[in-house]
Amino acid sequence: MTRTGDVLCLLAAAGVISATGWLAATADTGQRYEAGLVLGLAAGLSVALLRRFTRLPLGRRRPYTFALPLPAPDWRAPLPDPGGDPEALRPHAERRAALLSDASALGDKLENTCSLPPRLRAELALFAVTAAIQASNSVILPPCEEPLSPDPAYDAAHALGELVAGVEFSRVGMRALEALVTEEPLRPDPPCYFNPLHERGHARVAVPAGEVAACHGCAKEPVPLLVPSAAGPVPYYESDAVDRRWRLLGYGAVTPDNGAAMIAAARDGFRPSPAEHRTKVG
């Protein structure tokens, strides 16, 4: 609601409370109890409606810090290249997914206390929750009694692609929570298309598929994230083992938005089942 609307609502509420108070003051002695009860209900309902539909503080206590475990890891920092080994990246991805999971409980609380427009608050809370779920899912290998495919390299590439997705979803979710805390809209902060584990993609470069975000180093000389394949290491965006959604989006680097594309992709479906993997490579 606009500031003018807030003031009009406040004046209307004051009028209702004043009118009820006047009726209570002029009531007969035998009606004072009922009149006082009506006054209390009118005042309470007015305050509740003002808190729900306006941006007036009315005694709200707004948290301005994250309730993160200490010492909190730097979720913004780039991560070392795993060299094609998913187990080298797994501890980092698990740590960041756990951090977001611990912090995501703030989403519901902040959604009801910050002064951002209700629609934006709901969107940011949705980002935080969806990202937390997807980050946690991405660092958990699906339980199965046999490999996902006859090719161990395929399995390793698939696992590595999921772990990178977990890292990026952790960043998206933490940024959404930060936006709720600072009461500022979520701004674009895409990863590097060539290697999402690098610094953030603050430069734009042209590739055959179009213009993508890249870190300053890869903007000069691309150093792609390599994943295993039967023919040797290949860039993740050329590997069929990496989830198609993440390859097409470049983990959010192809579309210069605020993480909405990754959230939409996460909500669009789940990872292929082990049977689908075997059928695809069989």
Side-chain angles (χ1 to χ4, degrees):
M1 186 176 290
T2 64
R3 182 60 60 185
T4 301
D6 291 346
V7 173
L8 292 176
C9 288
L10 181 60
L11 292 175
V16 171
I17 295 174
S18 299
T20 310
W22 179 80
L23 291 174
T26 57
D28 295 337
T29 303
Q31 297 176 330
R32 290 287 174 85
Y33 175 80
E34 291 82 357
L37 181 61
V38 172
L39 174 61
L41 290 174
L45 180 60
S46 297
V47 172
L49 291 174
L50 288 172
R51 292 189 64 178
R52 174 63 180 84
F53 295 105
T54 72
R55 296 178 295 177
L56 299 170
L58 296 175
R60 291 178 183 171
R61 299 180 61 187
R62 297 176 182 171
Y64 287 94
T65 56
F66 286 111
L68 298 182
L70 298 176
D74 184 1
W75 54 272
R76 297 179 183 275
L79 293 175
D81 194 306
D85 180 11
E87 297 310 311
L89 181 60
R90 186 173 301 281
H92 301 284
E94 289 178 343
R95 192 176 303 117
R96 296 198 178 188
L99 177 67
L100 176 58
S101 179
D102 292 341
S104 62
L106 283 174
D108 291 337
K109 182 177 181 181
L110 294 174
E111 182 185 355
N112 298 316
T113 58
C114 75
S115 63
L116 291 172
R119 183 174 180 179
L120 181 55
R121 279 183 269 158
E123 180 183 60
L124 291 173
L126 174 65
F127 275 29
V129 172
T130 304
I133 294 172
Q134 186 65 44
S136 297
N137 288 342
S138 295
V139 300
I140 300 175
L141 287 175
C144 56
E145 298 178 355
E146 56 182 319
L148 296 179
S149 77
D151 182 6
Y154 185 100
D155 294 345
H158 175 74
L160 188 55
E162 291 300 307
L163 292 171
V164 174
V167 171
E168 187 56 33
F169 275 110
S170 297
R171 287 169 172 162
V172 172
M174 292 299 291
R175 285 168 48 223
L177 290 176
E178 184 180 61
L180 283 169
V181 167
T182 60
E183 301 185 346
E184 296 180 356
L186 189 61
R187 292 181 171 82
D189 187 30
C192 173
Y193 172 79
F194 299 100
N195 189 332
L197 303 178
H198 284 175
E199 299 281 353
R200 305 307 286 171
H202 294 154
R204 301 291 296 179
V205 299
V207 297
E211 191 179 62
V212 298
C215 67
H216 291 298
C218 285
K220 299 176 182 177
E221 184 177 355
V223 181
L225 173 69
L226 300 179
V227 299
S229 76
V234 297
Y236 79 89
Y237 42 80
E238 296 179 3
S239 172
D240 289 339
V242 176
D243 191 302
R244 182 173 179 270
R245 293 172 295 172
W246 316 144
R247 285 188 284 115
L248 293 179
L249 289 174
Y251 292 100
V254 172
T255 305
D257 61 16
N258 57 10
M262 285 291 284
I263 295 297
R267 293 170 60 82
D268 192 39
F270 297 98
R271 294 174 294 177
S273 67
E276 290 173 324
H277 278 298
R278 289 193 294 271
T279 300
K280 184 175 183 180
V281 300

